[in-house]
Amino acid sequence: MDSCSKLCAPDSSSSPFDCIIFDLDDTLYPTTNGISEALKKNIQVFLMEKCGFPQSKASSLRSELFRTYGSTLAGLRALGYDITAEEYHSFVHGRLPYQSIKRDIELHRLLLSIKQRKIIFTNSDRIHAMKVLNRLGISDCFQQIICFETMNPNLCNATRPDEFPVLLKPSPEAMKIALRAAQVDPRRSLFLDDNASNIAAGKAMGLHTVLVGKRGKSKEADYAVENVNQVAELIPEIWGCQPDGQDQRTVPTTKSEFDSRIPTTTTAAVGA
Ligand SMILES: [Mg+2]
């Protein structure tokens, strides 16, 4: 169903958004397919098998490292564990049940109906991102993938584990790297993510925000959708369907213009 065409005649030129930035995991597919749970389990096995932590500690340690450092890998490296990103990702992603991610024809149609630039912005590595996009059948819908490697280009050159901190959403530094890589004006970009802390970080950067997978909005979310496929119904502005404001687009064209639109403050992301 093309629900946008039911609402109005799409005209992205009158949309307030020049770019739509999508998180990947648990945003473009539902958490119910078991990937998220399998990932948690794999991380716990990694902590036991590669780092020697007892089974009784693995679950709480994973949660603690995520809360404190943004990811288990970030936490382990900050604590001095000499674990490479490749080693970590191949272990925790390599054994995921990707077959449980099903082709989403409705999502493919929805994405193709969005004429603006579409970007993936994920904390996951590129291999995982491509596998998920291919399973969903939407890998042809995006112009750019901003992923772990984008935010951490120097990690492989580190001479000790804590030389470069692992940067991931929702850290302001990671958000700035992503916005520079995307070269978008945050004030004319829409950012969808299932994580309220990431949404808060995006809002602090000036992005318009959509919390995905939740019934209610978080404080920093401009919109909330339970399922990404609901955006056509709930955010018709993407297609220029509610041109009730004056279109004051001032799209930056140089790197310095892009940089000038990214806040320089280091406002901490607010967790949910
Ligand atoms: Mg996510």
Side-chain angles (χ1 to χ4, degrees), residues 23-29 121-123 169 192-195 198:
D23 172 50
L24 179 65
D25 296 300
D26 299 327
T27 292
L28 292 183
Y29 62 82
F121 177 23
T122 176
N123 280 346
K169 288 181 285 183
L192 296 88
D193 200 299
D194 67 288
N195 183 298
N198 295 345

Side-chain angles (χ1 to χ4, degrees), residues 178-189:
L179 288 174
R180 288 195 187 101
Q183 297 226 321
V184 295
D185 179 351
R187 293 172 301 183
R188 290 196 54 85
S189 300

Side-chain angles (χ1 to χ4, degrees), residues 45 80 189 215:
V45 174
S189 300
R215 281 184 185 275

Side-chain angles (χ1 to χ4, degrees), residues 157-211:
N157 300 321
T159 55
R160 56 175 205 279
D162 61 348
E163 183 175 358
F164 303 116
V166 174
L167 294 180
L168 297 168
K169 288 181 285 183
S171 93
E173 290 76 16
M175 300 298 294
K176 288 177 188 175
I177 289 171
L179 288 174
R180 288 195 187 101
Q183 297 226 321
V184 295
D185 179 351
R187 293 172 301 183
R188 290 196 54 85
S189 300
L190 187 65
F191 172 50
L192 296 88
D193 200 299
D194 67 288
N195 183 298
S197 297
N198 295 345
I199 288 295
K203 195 68 191 168
M205 291 292 126
L207 291 158
H208 299 269
T209 54
V210 186
L211 184 63

Side-chain angles (χ1 to χ4, degrees), residues 18-19 117 176 178-187 189 205 250-264:
D18 295 329
C19 179
R117 268 181 83 205
K176 288 177 188 175
L179 288 174
R180 288 195 187 101
Q183 297 226 321
V184 295
D185 179 351
R187 293 172 301 183
S189 300
M205 291 292 126
T250 50
V251 181
T253 54
T254 65
K255 182 177 183 301
S256 59
E257 280 183 290
F258 284 111
D259 285 352
S260 73
R261 296 199 179 180
I262 299 171
T264 52

Side-chain angles (χ1 to χ4, degrees), residues 111-128:
L111 291 169
L112 289 185
S113 77
I114 298 173
K115 300 307 178 192
Q116 294 94 325
R117 268 181 83 205
K118 294 177 286 296
I119 296 174
I120 293 288
F121 177 23
T122 176
N123 280 346
S124 295
D125 63 312
R126 186 169 294 271
I127 292 173
H128 171 78

